PDB file of all heavy atoms in Angstrom:
ATOM      1  N   PRO A  99     -10.488   1.588  10.954  1.00  0.00           N
ATOM      2  CA  PRO A  99     -10.870   2.483  12.035  1.00  0.00           C
ATOM      3  C   PRO A  99      -9.826   3.663  12.144  1.00  0.00           C
ATOM      4  O   PRO A  99     -10.216   4.617  12.649  1.00  0.00           O
ATOM      5  CB  PRO A  99     -10.907   1.593  13.308  1.00  0.00           C
ATOM      6  CG  PRO A  99     -10.876   0.224  12.946  1.00  0.00           C
ATOM      7  CD  PRO A  99     -10.425   0.144  11.474  1.00  0.00           C
ATOM      8  N   THR A 100      -8.511   3.302  11.809  1.00  0.00           N
ATOM      9  CA  THR A 100      -7.558   4.400  12.002  1.00  0.00           C
ATOM     10  C   THR A 100      -7.253   4.914  10.589  1.00  0.00           C
ATOM     11  O   THR A 100      -5.981   5.339  10.394  1.00  0.00           O
ATOM     12  CB  THR A 100      -6.323   3.815  12.647  1.00  0.00           C
ATOM     13  OG1 THR A 100      -5.828   2.702  11.745  1.00  0.00           O
ATOM     14  CG2 THR A 100      -6.607   3.281  14.027  1.00  0.00           C
ATOM     15  N   ALA A 101      -8.222   5.152   9.860  1.00  0.00           N
ATOM     16  CA  ALA A 101      -7.882   5.724   8.519  1.00  0.00           C
ATOM     17  C   ALA A 101      -7.119   7.094   8.493  1.00  0.00           C
ATOM     18  O   ALA A 101      -6.593   7.570   7.498  1.00  0.00           O
ATOM     19  CB  ALA A 101      -9.126   5.888   7.647  1.00  0.00           C
ATOM     20  N   GLY A 102      -7.264   7.874   9.696  1.00  0.00           N
ATOM     21  CA  GLY A 102      -6.551   9.086   9.811  1.00  0.00           C
ATOM     22  C   GLY A 102      -5.241   8.948  10.314  1.00  0.00           C
ATOM     23  O   GLY A 102      -4.481   9.974  10.704  1.00  0.00           O
ATOM     24  N   LEU A 103      -4.570   7.733  10.320  1.00  0.00           N
ATOM     25  CA  LEU A 103      -3.249   7.517  10.718  1.00  0.00           C
ATOM     26  C   LEU A 103      -2.113   8.438  10.200  1.00  0.00           C
ATOM     27  O   LEU A 103      -1.198   8.850  10.718  1.00  0.00           O
ATOM     28  CB  LEU A 103      -2.732   6.152  10.749  1.00  0.00           C
ATOM     29  CG  LEU A 103      -2.543   5.461   9.305  1.00  0.00           C
ATOM     30  CD1 LEU A 103      -0.945   5.555   9.045  1.00  0.00           C
ATOM     31  CD2 LEU A 103      -2.845   4.163   9.279  1.00  0.00           C
ATOM     32  N   LEU A 104      -2.365   8.846   8.928  1.00  0.00           N
ATOM     33  CA  LEU A 104      -1.422   9.682   8.344  1.00  0.00           C
ATOM     34  C   LEU A 104      -1.438  11.092   8.750  1.00  0.00           C
ATOM     35  O   LEU A 104      -0.535  11.971   8.529  1.00  0.00           O
ATOM     36  CB  LEU A 104      -1.639   9.793   6.700  1.00  0.00           C
ATOM     37  CG  LEU A 104      -1.444   8.413   5.966  1.00  0.00           C
ATOM     38  CD1 LEU A 104      -1.646   8.590   4.593  1.00  0.00           C
ATOM     39  CD2 LEU A 104      -0.229   7.817   6.300  1.00  0.00           C
ATOM     40  N   ASP A 105      -2.333  11.400   9.657  1.00  0.00           N
ATOM     41  CA  ASP A 105      -2.389  12.830  10.294  1.00  0.00           C
ATOM     42  C   ASP A 105      -1.567  12.794  11.591  1.00  0.00           C
ATOM     43  O   ASP A 105      -1.450  13.894  12.127  1.00  0.00           O
ATOM     44  CB  ASP A 105      -3.985  13.103  10.677  1.00  0.00           C
ATOM     45  CG  ASP A 105      -4.826  13.292   9.415  1.00  0.00           C
ATOM     46  OD1 ASP A 105      -4.308  13.662   8.274  1.00  0.00           O
ATOM     47  OD2 ASP A 105      -5.965  12.842   9.512  1.00  0.00           O
ATOM     48  N   SER A 106      -1.179  11.685  12.102  1.00  0.00           N
ATOM     49  CA  SER A 106      -0.324  11.811  13.313  1.00  0.00           C
ATOM     50  C   SER A 106       0.993  12.150  13.043  1.00  0.00           C
ATOM     51  O   SER A 106       1.778  11.622  12.306  1.00  0.00           O
ATOM     52  CB  SER A 106      -0.378  10.272  13.804  1.00  0.00           C
ATOM     53  OG  SER A 106       0.529  10.232  14.924  1.00  0.00           O
ATOM     54  N   PRO A 107       1.520  13.351  13.734  1.00  0.00           N
ATOM     55  CA  PRO A 107       2.691  13.891  13.423  1.00  0.00           C
ATOM     56  C   PRO A 107       3.802  12.877  13.949  1.00  0.00           C
ATOM     57  O   PRO A 107       4.879  12.939  13.500  1.00  0.00           O
ATOM     58  CB  PRO A 107       2.653  15.211  14.167  1.00  0.00           C
ATOM     59  CG  PRO A 107       1.400  15.362  14.858  1.00  0.00           C
ATOM     60  CD  PRO A 107       0.651  14.056  14.632  1.00  0.00           C
ATOM     61  N   ALA A 108       3.533  12.009  14.907  1.00  0.00           N
ATOM     62  CA  ALA A 108       4.557  11.169  15.365  1.00  0.00           C
ATOM     63  C   ALA A 108       4.964  10.175  14.424  1.00  0.00           C
ATOM     64  O   ALA A 108       6.072   9.506  14.440  1.00  0.00           O
ATOM     65  CB  ALA A 108       4.015  10.379  16.541  1.00  0.00           C
ATOM     66  N   ARG A 109       4.206   9.966  13.221  1.00  0.00           N
ATOM     67  CA  ARG A 109       4.565   9.025  12.227  1.00  0.00           C
ATOM     68  C   ARG A 109       5.072   9.595  10.986  1.00  0.00           C
ATOM     69  O   ARG A 109       5.354   9.051   9.843  1.00  0.00           O
ATOM     70  CB  ARG A 109       3.314   8.079  11.865  1.00  0.00           C
ATOM     71  CG  ARG A 109       2.985   7.312  13.108  1.00  0.00           C
ATOM     72  CD  ARG A 109       1.833   6.257  12.700  1.00  0.00           C
ATOM     73  NE  ARG A 109       1.604   5.399  13.871  1.00  0.00           N
ATOM     74  CZ  ARG A 109       0.402   5.538  14.515  1.00  0.00           C
ATOM     75  NH1 ARG A 109      -0.368   6.386  14.353  1.00  0.00           N
ATOM     76  NH2 ARG A 109       0.324   4.723  15.543  1.00  0.00           N
ATOM     77  N   ILE A 110       5.110  11.009  10.909  1.00  0.00           N
ATOM     78  CA  ILE A 110       5.604  11.702   9.661  1.00  0.00           C
ATOM     79  C   ILE A 110       7.036  11.818   9.701  1.00  0.00           C
ATOM     80  O   ILE A 110       7.665  12.143  10.727  1.00  0.00           O
ATOM     81  CB  ILE A 110       4.835  12.997   9.590  1.00  0.00           C
ATOM     82  CG1 ILE A 110       3.287  12.868   9.585  1.00  0.00           C
ATOM     83  CG2 ILE A 110       5.275  13.769   8.370  1.00  0.00           C
ATOM     84  CD1 ILE A 110       2.504  14.136   9.645  1.00  0.00           C
TER      85      ILE A 110
END
Side-chain angles (χ1 to χ4, degrees):
T100 58
L103 69 95
L104 297 185
D105 295 329
S106 171
R109 295 189 176 104
I110 300 171

